[in-house]
Amino acid sequence: MTTPLLDIQNVTMKFGGLTAVRDVSFTVQKKDLVAVIGPNGAGKTTLFNMITGIYEPTIGSVVLDGLPLNKKMASEITDLGIARTFQNIRLFNNLSVLDNIKIARHTRIKYSFFDGIFKTKKYRAEEKMIEEESIKLLALFNLDSKKDLLAKNLPYGAQRKLEMARALATKPKLLLLDEPAAGMNPTETKELSELIHFIREEFQIAVILIEHDMRLVMEIAEKIFVLDYGNLIASGSAKDVQNNPKVVEAYLGAEI
Amino acid sequence: MDYYLQILTNVGIFITLTLSLNLINGYCGQFSLGHAGFWGVGAYASAVYGVYFALPIDPALNMAIALSIGFVAAALCGLLIGIPCLRLKGDYLAIATIGFSEILRIIIMNTESIGGPRGFTNIPRWSNSWWVWGIALAVTLFMLNLKRSAHGRAIISIREDEIAAETMGVNLFRYKLFSFIVGAGIAGMAGSLVAHDQQFLHPNNFSFMWSVCILVMVILGGQGSVSGSIVGAVILTILPEILKLIGSNVSTWRVSIYAALMIILMLTRPQGIFGPHELFEKKRLKGVA
Ligand SMILES: Nc1ncnc2c1ncn2[C@@H]1O[C@H](COP(=O)(O)OP(=O)(O)O)[C@@H](O)[C@H]1O
Ligand SMILES: [Mg+2]
């Protein structure tokens, strides 16, 4: 068996007396497209925060390509190849759409600080390349015509797309999407599901998706993990999960 | 004529100072309220060199040495305060930097060898308009080019959203510390220019009120805008002189005028004259107010 791309080993996250995630383990292989579902407050975002180094797990570890991520800073983890979007969109609002993408290239920059200050040849050559690649990436998301708009002035759906494009600009092996369909109408959601498929094929990366929209999840995820009150209560294909009594209970219970 | 030349020199020095705070406050989004402290460190450090250790060489060379000393001394203070304080968020940093600059002022007040409360006199006059405007120009170019480099973008992303910046691979602490040290160092150079221009320093020239004045210049022009810092520094350096012509007592009016200006600004244009953008950038960027 090959090493999995992402190996989550018995992670627990406690906030004071509250256990947001309890002893969760699962693996993700290269180019997998999986989903994490569960009622509000189940610990899904907290799981993403542990994977990306925003929080360090209280117990357990996250391993990327055989490399444990404990004690690594969020910025180092980005460098190692994990990128994400946020449930509440976090763009660089007062910067242009293009600059949002350029910032994401940060860890891949080769020219030095002084190259930048004195605008050396090396700086100009690399910046030109970054600009071209960034515009190419924006074009994949139909955002190239909006490159000079301030990020905050984009419509909501375009902001979500820009956040995904920005995450991809870090050149990740694994992309984490936190409720990308939140606030979208059915047409936009359909478009999104195609976009996620396209991303995986185009960039050859694994995707983990947190989503409430069951239709979207059932349609695109090859494997689903279900969290409830911080516990992993089920995992498997869409069908397995749908028929699992624990899952039904968690969802119905949450709605009463 | 001398009077106008002095105002012009002050404008140049304040442009440098305002830009240096803009790096910390406008680019990186860190709220420092002790900037006059770094200015003072640079001024006193290079004055000490001028009074006690000056080499018998060309004044221009001595000025270059004094500027380096001003930069290094203030940058070191930036490092010492930055390491513990930049891990703190928002208000804590502001309070810690006020504390630093006040402590520094009290230390200077109580150090006889640098004049104590009487002020530091007999500083050699090495500076001139060329130095003042040369430094202002160099710092302006530095800030503009930084903004368009990957390192500058990383710093600015911290201002926009720390968590997103971190997730884009930006090492928050390293870039905050960098901005803080370089911003402090440049303020130190401005101090060196003051010392070797006026030939006299007094600890009260670097009090909390001056930190506020520099901050107001940054905010008036627009946090993050180089054009803004220049315009802010020009307006707020010349305004008190105009008031003086009208005949009011400047030192009492200055603070009230600044306060009134800030209130008007916050009500009508909270992002400052230019916002975070530049003079000629607005045409390129769409949808900028
Ligand atoms: N930084 C934090 N401090 C304290 N409690 C937190 C923190 N982050 C999340 N929580 C709590 O952890 C639980 C799980 O939250 P979250 O992971 O955001 O849920 P989900 O994304 O599944 O809706 C919630 O009860 C939430 O209030
Ligand atoms: Mg969530």
Side-chain angles (χ1 to χ4, degrees):
Chain A
M1 222 189 96
T2 56
T3 35
L5 177 64
L6 184 75
D7 191 356
I8 295 177
Q9 302 169 343
N10 309 93
V11 296
T12 294
M13 184 77 226
K14 291 186 182 158
F15 296 109
L18 178 96
T19 305
V21 172
R22 192 192 315 269
D23 199 24
V24 167
S25 303
F26 65 83
T27 59
V28 176
Q29 305 294 334
K30 289 189 178 67
K31 292 209 283 161
D32 271 358
L33 205 173
V34 306
V36 176
I37 63 170
N40 259 328
K44 306 180 295 295
T45 299
T46 303
L47 188 66
F48 271 18
N49 284 337
M50 287 189 285
I51 297 172
T52 53
I54 305 282
Y55 301 147
E56 200 194 337
T58 318
I59 308 170
S61 55
V62 177
V63 180
L64 180 74
D65 258 341
L67 186 76
L69 301 182
N70 300 47
K71 299 279 171 215
K72 291 235 184 304
M73 285 186 293
S75 53
E76 293 173 287
I77 292 174
T78 307
D79 195 17
L80 292 170
I82 301 181
R84 73 176 287 184
T85 65
F86 295 89
Q87 186 173 346
N88 313 307
I89 303 174
R90 284 179 178 274
L91 289 170
F92 303 123
N93 275 325
N94 292 303
L95 303 180
S96 70
V97 165
L98 184 60
D99 278 342
N100 269 267
I101 301 288
K102 284 183 177 175
I103 287 169
R105 300 291 306 263
H106 183 70
T107 60
R108 320 284 177 224
I109 295 284
K110 289 187 194 68
Y111 68 76
S112 75
F113 171 74
F114 292 102
D115 284 320
I117 296 305
F118 295 106
K119 296 201 166 179
T120 60
K121 223 179 186 167
K122 197 172 170 191
Y123 159 87
R124 279 178 281 138
E126 201 174 339
E127 280 291 316
K128 187 160 169 262
M129 189 194 76
I130 291 169
E131 173 128 358
E132 284 166 6
E133 283 187 14
S134 302
I135 291 173
K136 230 186 264 171
L137 182 64
L138 284 173
L140 291 179
F141 290 81
N142 281 326
L143 287 169
D144 49 333
S145 60
K146 301 198 166 68
K147 70 181 172 60
D148 294 324
L149 218 62
L150 295 188
K152 66 177 171 194
N153 293 336
L154 283 179
Y156 182 83
Q159 290 196 1
R160 285 247 175 244
K161 281 205 262 179
L162 175 58
E163 221 195 3
M164 274 189 237
R166 186 182 66 174
L168 288 167
T170 66
K171 305 200 170 167
K173 302 177 209 169
L174 171 66
L175 175 65
L176 311 181
L177 302 172
D178 198 343
E179 302 200 18
M184 287 188 172
N185 63 36
T187 336
E188 287 172 322
T189 307
K190 177 125 189 30
E191 222 183 85
L192 180 75
S193 105
E194 281 157 21
L195 189 61
I196 293 171
H197 264 298
F198 169 78
I199 286 172
R200 191 202 18 190
E201 294 311 317
E202 175 81 16
F203 296 90
Q204 298 282 310
I205 57 176
V207 179
I208 308 180
L209 173 76
I210 291 177
E211 197 40 75
H212 273 307
D213 189 303
M214 278 303 157
R215 281 251 294 287
L216 176 67
V217 170
M218 297 299 167
E219 196 180 301
I220 68 172
E222 290 146 359
K223 199 166 179 193
I224 297 173
F225 300 99
V226 188
L227 282 181
D228 187 30
Y229 290 112
N231 300 301
L232 186 64
I233 57 168
S235 63
S237 69
K239 226 202 218 131
D240 297 343
V241 167
Q242 255 171 331
N243 299 327
N244 187 318
K246 276 196 205 161
V247 177
V248 176
E249 196 190 305
Y251 268 85
L252 291 180
E255 271 161 29
I256 287 167
Chain B
M1 192 59 220
D2 268 4
Y3 169 70
Y4 292 106
L5 199 68
Q6 186 59 50
I7 294 174
L8 205 65
T9 300
N10 290 350
V11 169
I13 290 172
F14 273 99
I15 286 175
T16 301
L17 261 178
T18 307
L19 285 169
S20 72
L21 181 61
N22 199 3
L23 176 57
I24 299 171
N25 180 283
Y27 277 23
C28 195
Q30 304 304 301
F31 197 49
S32 163
L33 264 177
H35 210 59
F38 298 121
W39 186 26
V41 169
Y44 270 89
S46 72
V48 165
Y49 169 73
V51 171
Y52 293 113
F53 304 101
L55 298 171
I57 49 175
D58 192 72
L61 276 177
N62 262 328
M63 189 64 221
I65 293 173
L67 281 167
S68 316
I69 289 174
F71 183 93
V72 172
L76 277 176
C77 286
L79 182 75
L80 283 176
I81 301 155
I83 286 177
C85 294
L86 287 172
R87 299 192 192 271
L88 307 173
K89 300 256 177 222
D91 304 346
Y92 298 106
L93 179 66
I95 291 164
T97 48
I98 295 175
F100 150 74
S101 65
E102 283 303 295
I103 289 168
L104 195 89
R105 202 168 58 86
I106 290 162
I107 291 175
I108 295 172
M109 280 281 193
N110 290 291
T111 309
E112 272 306 312
S113 55
I114 52 173
R118 284 173 290 106
F120 200 5
T121 52
N122 294 323
I123 303 164
R125 189 178 164 85
W126 293 330
S127 177
N128 56 39
S129 305
W130 291 104
W131 281 107
V132 168
W133 286 95
I135 298 285
L137 182 69
V139 175
T140 302
L141 291 176
F142 168 82
M143 290 290 283
L144 285 173
N145 289 357
L146 179 63
K147 207 177 199 182
R148 283 169 185 70
S149 78
H151 307 84
R153 287 195 295 261
I155 292 170
I156 291 169
S157 73
I158 296 176
R159 167 194 83 200
E160 290 293 306
D161 188 321
E162 284 200 10
I163 291 183
E166 205 177 8
T167 311
M168 290 304 116
V170 175
N171 182 327
L172 297 182
F173 185 64
R174 185 191 299 167
Y175 280 97
K176 282 184 194 175
L177 194 61
F178 171 85
S179 314
F180 208 67
I181 291 173
V182 175
I186 296 172
M189 291 205 297
S192 175
L193 291 170
V194 170
H196 298 285
D197 178 70
Q198 298 179 355
Q199 303 175 266
F200 172 75
L201 296 174
H202 192 276
N204 286 347
N205 291 357
F206 308 103
S207 65
F208 173 65
M209 195 200 86
W210 281 102
S211 295
V212 175
C213 287
I214 304 164
L215 185 66
V216 174
M217 292 178 187
V218 172
I219 294 174
L220 173 68
Q223 285 160 295
S225 170
V226 174
S227 330
S229 287
I230 294 171
V231 170
V234 170
I235 292 178
L236 290 179
T237 310
I238 292 178
L239 189 69
E241 303 301 332
I242 294 172
L243 288 175
K244 205 169 8 181
L245 288 182
I246 297 168
S248 353
N249 182 336
V250 195
S251 53
T252 49
W253 274 95
R254 189 177 206 137
V255 183
S256 330
I257 295 281
Y258 279 20
L261 244 166
M262 280 308 284
I263 292 168
I264 295 169
L265 191 70
M266 287 302 121
L267 289 175
T268 56
R269 204 174 161 80
Q271 74 274 41
I273 297 172
F274 291 94
H277 310 291
E278 300 303 337
L279 186 55
F280 299 110
E281 199 178 36
K282 294 190 173 188
K283 286 203 192 81
R284 186 172 60 78
L285 292 172
K286 297 170 201 156
V288 174

